[in-house]
Amino acid sequence: MPDVIFPLDSTRKFTEQEKIGHNRWHPDIPPVATVKPGDSFRVHCREWFDGEIHNDDSADDIRNAPLHTVHALSGPFAVEGAKPGDLLIVDILDLGPIPQEDSGPLAGQGWGYTGIFAKPNGGGFLTDQFPDAYKAVWDFSGQTATSRHIPHVSFTGIVHPGLMGTAPSHDLLSTWNTREAALIATDPDRVPPLALPPEPNGAILGALTGPEFDRVAGEGARTAPPRENGGNQDIKNLTKGSRIFYPVFVDGANLSVGDLHFSQGDGEITFCGAIEMGGFIDLRVDIIPGGMTTYGVSENAIFMPGNTDPQFSEWLAFSGTSVTLDGEQRYLDSQLAYQRACLHAIDYLTKFGYTPEQAYLLLGAAPIEGRLSGVVDIPNSCTTVYIPTSIFDFPVSPSVDGPFRIDPGAGAPRSPA
């Protein structure tokens, strides 16, 4: 096992650890450790809400989830010799739930969760159709996930970090804050908001204290979206065996990682759509000097996905086009088309006995494939959602006998917005 350079004690809060991570992006957050090119090391990661979500049958914790405190990131880790303009090579060697802890109160201790966020608290991809908070708890048995809240389903998890990236430069941070503030200004009272501005309340900034903490807390970018540095990309295929090439914007690169997922469908459509958990990740790093110019990677990471994903041979696919639910034609709107494909899949699954919310949660957590199938045939984009049929313990394809009716159980816990 590689040396653990960022240990976490499961009995203590994230801010009470021996080494304290962060939940904002800023170049002045000091690194918690330094590694050398070629080094392999292990990092412990806390679930993104630091234990605020519980293994129970209530969705009140999802409804009241404190978004100003996320994400609980491990790092930053400086890489000796890394300079702005380099590419940082990051190999994912291994990752999984909290080691040697198969039960306990923290997500990752034998279980994880998926949530539909209430519209006033972040919402989701289909927030207008699903404005209330819901939760599904998933139990882990080896690499397999099952849920008492979504019965008759089991699947192998594609375990991956939802968030990993390098620190921004001061100029890049200023660019983020300026452009996102301009977007917010176009509709400042929108629910959910168009973007999340810097928020000092709840900021965690490693070892910073006093006036320096206050300055950085007022400037630090929220970790919710993906940006040029990588960040919260939620790419389910960044699993074991992946190699990622991150742009470097500051001396040392200052790599951070967190938001581990046991599984996720393409798009993480419920916002908390993955199966969230804490755990560990083993990484190896190296540097390509001047790689950003050499390979034209001036922004946004490129990657080589791992080869350990579960293999599915049969799928049921649903398509959608860029026409609203009210029948309004939009021009090549691929996001709308993906929403419609997801809604078609949800409607279909309800014919077998699932509630719409159970189906929505399932699409967020299971290893579905989302694809841009056509983006040139005006006026309609076409997107598709592929669901592996083997995750169900009943026949899910259409037949002349009609849908097989399942017992949906107690359903997913709900908490009104």
Side-chain angles (χ1 to χ4, degrees):
M1 186 183 80
D3 290 340
V4 180
I5 67 169
F6 191 88
L8 289 175
D9 180 346
S10 294
T11 67
R12 301 162 66 186
K13 297 289 288 183
F14 192 63
T15 53
E16 298 170 352
Q17 301 291 327
E18 173 187 344
K19 294 181 178 180
I20 298 175
H22 64 106
N23 62 1
R24 302 290 191 267
W25 290 118
H26 198 287
D28 296 337
I29 298 173
V32 296
T34 298
V35 296
K36 296 179 179 180
D39 280 356
S40 300
F41 53 92
R42 173 166 290 193
V43 173
H44 291 170
C45 298
R46 185 61 53 85
E47 164 267 331
W48 72 312
F49 275 114
D50 189 27
E52 292 291 330
I53 311 301
H54 310 297
N55 185 353
D56 60 21
D57 299 319
S58 169
D60 289 352
D61 49 5
I62 294 290
R63 181 193 64 198
N64 301 321
L67 279 179
H68 64 286
T69 67
V70 297
H71 294 80
L73 296 182
S74 301
F77 307 108
V79 180
E80 191 174 293
K83 299 291 183 183
D86 294 346
L87 283 179
L88 179 68
I89 303 173
V90 180
D91 290 318
I92 300 178
L93 306 178
D94 198 5
L95 72 165
I98 301 174
Q100 289 81 49
E101 297 186 26
D102 58 5
S103 64
L106 293 179
Q109 293 177 317
W111 65 279
Y113 67 89
T114 302
I116 298 173
F117 267 46
K119 187 171 183 177
N121 193 31
F125 190 55
L126 304 175
T127 194
D128 289 335
Q129 289 77 37
F130 298 90
D132 295 333
Y134 288 82
K135 182 172 73 179
V137 173
W138 299 86
D139 293 312
F140 305 155
S141 178
Q143 289 296 109
T144 301
T146 57
S147 174
R148 63 184 181 271
H149 297 131
I150 309 175
H152 303 284
V153 169
S154 66
F155 49 84
T156 300
I158 304 178
V159 186
H160 62 280
L163 195 161
M164 186 157 55
T166 53
S169 65
H170 285 96
D171 286 346
L172 184 56
L173 175 64
S174 177
T175 296
W176 293 351
N177 287 337
T178 299
R179 75 188 184 200
E180 291 172 23
L183 176 63
I184 293 169
T186 65
D187 191 358
D189 299 320
R190 185 179 186 272
V191 177
L194 290 168
L196 300 173
E199 173 54 73
N201 181 32
I204 302 171
L205 305 173
L208 291 181
T209 59
E212 188 71 351
F213 179 98
D214 295 337
R215 178 184 65 81
V216 171
E219 298 171 353
R222 307 285 287 279
T223 59
R227 298 187 181 92
E228 288 89 336
N229 68 327
N232 194 30
Q233 295 182 295
D234 291 315
I235 300 171
K236 77 176 192 298
N237 305 103
L238 288 184
T239 187
K240 183 165 60 175
S242 295
R243 169 168 284 191
I244 310 102
F245 303 84
Y246 287 107
V248 174
F249 302 104
V250 301
D251 288 341
N254 285 3
L255 177 73
S256 298
V257 62
D259 189 29
L260 299 188
H261 298 162
F262 189 84
S263 178
Q264 181 201 295
D266 279 340
E268 198 186 13
I269 59 176
T270 71
F271 182 50
C272 184
I275 301 180
E276 307 284 351
M277 69 172 194
F280 75 95
I281 185 167
D282 294 344
L283 302 173
R284 180 173 57 231
V285 295
D286 212 331
I287 300 168
I288 300 178
M292 289 175 65
T293 298
T294 301
Y295 289 101
V297 185
S298 59
E299 58 184 41
N300 303 109
I302 60 176
F303 68 97
M304 302 166 66
N307 57 4
T308 59
D309 297 353
Q311 300 299 308
F312 299 104
S313 59
E314 295 184 359
W315 305 77
L316 189 61
F318 302 83
S319 61
T321 58
S322 42
V323 179
T324 71
L325 287 170
D326 297 329
E328 178 188 350
Q329 181 70 62
R330 300 282 180 83
Y331 178 76
L332 297 181
D333 187 337
S334 296
Q335 172 148 322
L336 172 60
Y338 194 53
Q339 288 180 330
R340 294 305 303 272
C342 291
L343 288 170
H344 292 154
I346 290 168
D347 288 344
Y348 181 87
L349 290 173
T350 63
K351 304 303 182 184
F352 294 80
Y354 288 117
T355 67
E357 292 76 22
Q358 287 176 311
Y360 186 22
L361 286 161
L362 177 61
L363 293 185
I368 67 167
E369 299 282 344
R371 302 179 187 175
L372 291 175
S373 300
V375 295
V376 296
D377 297 314
I378 61 172
N380 275 327
S381 289
C382 177
T383 70
T384 43
V385 172
Y386 290 67
I387 303 176
T389 58
S390 62
I391 70 174
F392 301 97
D393 67 5
F394 60 91
V396 74
S397 300
S399 75
V400 295
D401 297 324
F404 183 94
R405 297 291 296 185
I406 56 110
D407 178 359
R414 170 179 178 258
S415 188

